[in-house]
Amino acid sequence: MRAAVCRQFGPPESIAVEDSYPAPDLSDVDSVRVRVAAAAVNFPDVLFMANQYQMTIPVPFIPGSEFAGVITEVGDGVAGLAPGDRVMGTTMVGAFAEEIVVAARSLSRIPDGVGAPAAAAFGVAHRTAYHALRTIAEAAAGERLVVLGAGGGVGLAAVQLGAVLGLDVTAVASSDEKLAVAASCGAARGLNHKTADVRKALKEALPGGTDIVIDPVGGDLAEPALRSLRWAGRFVTLGYASGAIPKIPLNLVMLKGCQVRGFQIRDLVANVPELVRRDEAELRELLAAGKVTPHIGASFTLGEAAAALRHVADGKAIGKVVISVG
Ligand SMILES: NC(=O)c1ccc[n+]([C@@H]2O[C@H](COP(=O)([O-])OP(=O)(O)OC[C@H]3O[C@@H](n4cnc5c(N)ncnc54)[C@H](OP(=O)(O)O)[C@@H]3O)[C@@H](O)[C@H]2O)c1
């Protein structure tokens, strides 16, 4: 099968598209084979390739953790899914290929009317952002939300979902282009951290403080964002796309009576399965009803996998980056 393969750790350019990579085995009875139509690119794909993620995937491997396509084969133990079904799913790696074999439980049907690119782009970022807002921050309509990295995958999903949940959203990003997209996704205001003093600008924009901060970026922006919380606000740390894990003075947490929480999406099913089920059912309804559609800022072919990964690695992605495979 055709696949984009990482045979040695390195930058995005170390990926190579191969025409005869062996198709994965369907030996597990609970597995399903999917003919991939589209896959989405995530920041961790870049980190896996550079061997800079929390865990190492041995080479050779096929990056890609989000995909949508059509089932071509199911294991003997699979019920409720059949060849021909349109499905979307998430995995650790393997999506930048014509075929993928995954556990049936990691798949869900694509709602009618939703195309493969949107379905592929609706996995990790929206699930992470929704769980952060709904379950971790317990966001309530009318509250104020500050989103860092608001033009990126997780950030823009948080902007969209925050607006849908009735929050007053302040988007923080590095360019006016990203802020314009965030505005079109429901942000009430935008703040360009390249041209403004974030701490001062947040204080001016939200004099009473914000209720919630969603932070997938870390680095130098985390502390001024945490300082913008009102008393008893909630700060959710989700990732460190800036490359720097911030060190926050703990006295700020005491003085603000605030909560600082975080999670990794892959740990949730094992720890809070019922909350995951609830969040995913609600999210699916939002997608099926057309209330939330992932913003696809750039599309590439499988042959352009390196360029797609480079786009994400350089922080240029606006919303989701999708690779069409089929
Ligand atoms: N906790 C979880 O379960 C979970 C789930 C998904 C993702 N994540 C993590 O969340 C982070 C963001 O993921 P994402 O999919 O939103 O990524 P993304 O689409 O690439 O967006 C990341 C944002 O980070 C900012 N950034 C600052 N410095 C950057 C740099 N040197 N390189 C790239 N981006 C930079 C950019 O915003 P500016 O415009 O402000 O510069 C960019 O829009 C990643 O660290 C990822 O691993 C965590």
Side-chain angles (χ1 to χ4, degrees), residues 43-55:
F43 202 79
D45 303 330
V46 177
L47 299 178
F48 277 132
M49 282 198 55
N51 197 17
Q52 286 172 358
Y53 201 71
Q54 293 101 312
M55 69 180 71

Side-chain angles (χ1 to χ4, degrees), residues 3-326:
V5 185
C6 174
R7 287 198 177 270
Q8 58 182 48
F9 295 122
E13 291 68 27
S14 19
I15 206 161
V17 177
E18 300 183 11
D19 286 328
S20 324
Y21 197 83
D25 271 352
L26 197 154
S27 46
D28 184 336
V29 293
D30 295 322
S31 290
V32 170
R33 184 186 303 280
V34 177
R35 188 173 68 240
V36 178
V41 186
N42 285 285
F43 202 79
D45 303 330
V46 177
L47 299 178
F48 277 132
M49 282 198 55
N51 197 17
Q52 286 172 358
Y53 201 71
Q54 293 101 312
M55 69 180 71
T56 294
I57 306 280
V59 288
F61 69 91
I62 298 167
S65 64
E66 290 181 297
F67 61 92
V70 176
I71 293 179
T72 54
E73 192 181 353
V74 299
D76 291 342
V78 173
L81 290 172
D85 288 348
R86 292 174 73 235
V87 288
M88 54 192 188
T90 54
T91 173
M92 190 83 79
V93 289
F96 299 167
E98 286 176 327
E99 287 184 27
I100 189 167
V101 169
V102 291
R105 66 175 180 282
S106 65
L107 295 173
S108 61
R109 284 173 198 276
I110 300 176
D112 289 343
V114 176
F122 197 70
V124 179
H126 281 79
R127 278 165 57 220
T128 303
Y130 194 70
H131 187 77
L133 290 170
R134 170 77 162 95
T135 300
I136 302 295
E138 297 181 329
E143 287 194 306
R144 287 149 299 190
L145 166 68
V146 170
V147 179
L148 302 184
V154 174
L156 199 55
V159 169
Q160 276 190 329
L161 292 165
V164 165
L165 292 172
L167 305 181
D168 172 81
V169 182
T170 301
V172 181
S174 60
S175 74
D176 292 344
E177 191 189 0
K178 288 182 177 180
L179 291 173
V181 175
S184 74
C185 289
R189 66 195 69 76
L191 204 163
N192 184 332
H193 65 79
K194 293 282 187 206
T195 55
D197 174 333
V198 175
R199 185 173 168 182
K200 200 164 150 237
L202 284 174
K203 204 166 189 176
E204 279 167 15
L206 306 167
T210 185
D211 298 281
I212 303 166
V213 172
I214 297 290
D215 178 13
V217 179
D220 293 340
L221 292 178
E223 186 178 324
L226 188 137
R227 285 180 184 275
S228 78
L229 285 175
R230 65 155 167 84
W231 196 84
R234 292 89 84 198
F235 184 101
V236 188
T237 175
L238 292 174
Y240 312 98
S242 64
I245 298 175
K247 293 184 171 53
I248 301 287
L250 268 185
N251 67 321
L252 287 181
V253 178
M254 178 184 74
L255 293 171
K256 289 195 164 286
C258 66
Q259 293 178 37
V260 179
R261 293 188 63 187
F263 64 90
Q264 291 194 100
I265 193 84
R266 68 166 184 265
D267 298 334
L268 295 180
V269 174
N271 291 295
V272 285
E274 66 298 338
L275 293 176
V276 173
R277 270 196 295 277
R278 181 198 66 184
D279 288 355
E280 294 197 352
E282 291 177 1
L283 202 47
R284 194 182 156 75
E285 260 177 47
L286 292 174
L287 177 70
K291 289 188 180 161
V292 176
T293 305
H295 177 88
I296 297 173
S299 300
F300 296 84
T301 62
L302 187 59
E304 298 165 333
L309 287 157
R310 170 54 64 195
H311 196 69
V312 170
D314 288 349
K316 289 187 182 150
I318 302 188
K320 297 295 295 181
V321 172
V322 169
I323 293 179
S324 63
V325 179

